[in-house]
Amino acid sequence: MRKIIICTFLTLDGVMQAPGGPDEDAESGFEHGGWQKPVADDEVGTAIAGWYEHSDAMLLGRKTYEIFASYWPTADPDNPFTNRMNSMHKYVASRTLTSVEWQNSTLLEGDIVDAVGKLKASDGGNINVVGSGDLAQTLMRHGLVDEYRLTIHPVIIGTGKRLFADGAIPTALEPVSVSTTKGGTIVGVYRPNGKPRYDSY
């Protein structure tokens, strides 16, 4: 069984929108695009590279797919991520796209929950969900997420799309590994572990 792993960069207040650049995603008037690089460090890059060691595919929503497909095919070949991103298989969830041109990309057909269920049952390595906030929330609602790999950066944005938005399903998480980089970023790997428990002091 393949694992579905959500790999996401977050601000301290949980915002995941447009970490990579000012023009990445200005939906709903978001004005803080590009917030990640000033608060990242080499250890963050090393951790992210490790996220891909046992994964051989990505699962992307339309917006993230289009952002990646416009950048990675012509990205600096000396960037160690360039070949990795281009060579990995990409599964794309979209209600509007009719084709996907980036190499090694497949447009998923039919109901996304059924399609991802079939992917999980297929042969292969783990599948990383990168960005793709709407898709991630759909997967979480249907219990399809096996692991979260998060970098939580020391910056507060105050507005924007959040990974764990209102209406998220209450879920207990088991920490697999948690560390803090020299720049103050928390790198955490967590697995769903049933329902939260409640108690009082």
Side-chain angles (χ1 to χ4, degrees):
M1 181 74 74
R2 304 171 82 176
K3 291 182 180 179
I4 300 294
I5 301 173
I6 289 183
C7 302
T8 301
F9 314 135
L10 302 175
T11 64
L12 193 60
D13 56 333
V15 174
M16 65 179 298
Q17 188 169 354
D23 301 321
E24 184 177 347
D25 179 4
E27 186 176 337
S28 301
F30 189 68
E31 298 178 345
H32 304 286
W35 54 263
Q36 185 196 24
K37 186 174 181 180
V39 291
D41 54 48
D42 292 344
E43 292 175 75
V44 171
T46 300
I48 294 168
W51 292 355
Y52 290 86
E53 287 182 1
H54 302 290
S55 298
D56 61 12
M58 290 185 287
L59 175 57
L60 306 171
R62 176 187 61 81
K63 291 177 184 176
T64 301
Y65 169 79
E66 289 180 335
I67 291 167
F68 282 11
S70 69
Y71 176 78
W72 287 110
T74 57
D76 181 358
D78 292 330
N79 181 335
F81 280 101
T82 298
N83 181 63
R84 183 71 171 167
M85 298 297 277
N86 287 319
S87 63
M88 287 184 81
H89 202 97
K90 278 76 68 172
Y91 297 102
V92 185
S94 173
R95 299 184 187 94
T96 57
L97 293 177
T98 57
S99 64
V100 285
E101 306 302 326
W102 187 14
Q103 69 184 79
N104 301 323
S105 294
T106 299
L107 184 62
L108 295 177
E109 298 181 353
D111 179 77
I112 185 59
V113 174
D114 290 341
V116 173
K118 292 176 182 176
L119 279 179
K120 283 171 65 76
S122 66
D123 293 331
N126 297 332
I127 302 171
N128 291 350
V129 181
V130 185
S132 308
D134 293 341
L135 172 61
Q137 292 186 28
T138 297
L139 299 176
M140 288 189 285
R141 285 195 300 271
H142 289 87
L144 291 169
V145 177
D146 297 290
E147 192 168 279
Y148 297 90
R149 298 181 182 180
L150 311 174
T151 59
I152 304 169
H153 298 269
V155 61
I156 294 171
I157 295 299
T159 62
K161 300 173 188 174
R162 287 172 165 80
L163 176 61
F164 303 109
D166 290 347
I169 303 300
T171 305
L173 297 175
E174 172 191 0
V176 177
S177 64
V178 181
S179 61
T180 304
T181 72
K182 60 189 176 186
T185 293
I186 299 168
V187 180
V189 178
Y190 308 90
R191 291 180 186 149
N193 189 26
K195 300 288 187 181
R197 296 187 299 168
Y198 303 96
D199 203 346
S200 59
Y201 289 97

